[in-house]
Amino acid sequence: MPGARDFPINHLPRARQAYSGPVTTLESKEVFKLLGSIDHTTAVGLRDFTLFSLLYALDLRLGEALSICLSDIDWENSMLTVRGKGSKIRTLPLTDEVKKLIKKWIYSRGVLLHAGSTDWLFLSRKGNRLSVRTAEERFAVIVKAAGSGKVFQLS
């Protein structure tokens, strides 16, 4: 009976190929164009605007931003505790502008289901923690709305 060693895997293509292109960052005007295309008159739009603004303003990874809890925000000292890759914890200062934006979102998130019973900052429409996949899908919608000819990737 053939075993695992008899299966020729060396000739199979990799399921994922490493990105070989140059890594580029967005210019400020491109970031403002993307953020400006978000309709933040709705709860979901304001959530997206707040999320992507925090990624830019605080230099956060998506996973770091999505793991923020309300209890991670120290309003008195204007600090935010963020959990990153490898369970690393860092504390970031919050500007008055960022605090104002977060407070506006916290007030608006109250219209979402289960908002009063969860500590997650960013919630889905159903009141669960916002997933990476949903955030990536929302980012794709925002890029399309901005009408950009560039290909942006959220990682």
Side-chain angles (χ1 to χ4, degrees):
M1 178 170 208
R5 293 182 182 191
D6 298 322
F7 189 71
I9 62 170
N10 294 341
H11 73 282
L12 295 175
R14 289 183 59 180
R16 288 184 110 168
Q17 296 296 326
Y19 179 69
S20 60
V23 175
T24 59
T25 59
L26 299 177
E27 295 177 20
S28 295
K29 65 181 180 180
E30 294 170 317
V31 172
F32 294 128
K33 180 179 179 183
L34 288 172
L35 293 176
S37 70
I38 301 172
D39 173 18
H40 47 278
T41 61
T42 66
V44 170
L46 184 57
R47 177 202 64 201
D48 294 345
F49 182 78
T50 304
L51 171 63
F52 296 118
S53 293
L54 287 185
L55 292 179
Y56 178 68
L58 300 176
D59 195 27
L60 298 176
R61 291 182 173 95
L62 181 58
E64 290 174 329
L66 295 178
S67 68
I68 296 172
C69 293
L70 297 174
S71 57
D72 294 329
I73 304 167
D74 179 353
W75 297 107
E76 189 174 316
N77 297 309
S78 299
M79 300 299 280
L80 174 67
T81 301
V82 178
R83 286 158 199 77
K85 290 175 98 174
S87 300
K88 291 182 181 169
I89 296 175
R90 58 189 175 129
T91 306
L92 304 171
L94 295 175
T95 64
D96 289 340
E97 187 176 326
V98 171
K99 283 179 17 182
K100 186 176 176 181
L101 180 60
I102 294 172
K103 284 181 181 181
K104 185 175 180 181
W105 161 240
I106 290 172
Y107 176 78
S108 297
R109 81 190 261 286
V111 302
L112 299 175
L113 260 139
H114 311 297
S117 61
T118 185
D119 196 36
W120 298 114
L121 178 60
F122 294 108
L123 303 177
S124 69
R125 292 174 197 222
K126 295 180 181 179
N128 301 316
R129 177 182 169 188
L130 187 65
S131 71
V132 170
R133 179 177 297 254
T134 300
E136 289 172 339
E137 288 170 355
R138 294 297 304 151
F139 187 73
V141 169
I142 291 163
V143 169
K144 188 173 182 179
S148 173
K150 281 189 171 185
V151 177
F152 299 109
Q153 184 174 349
L154 191 60
S155 55

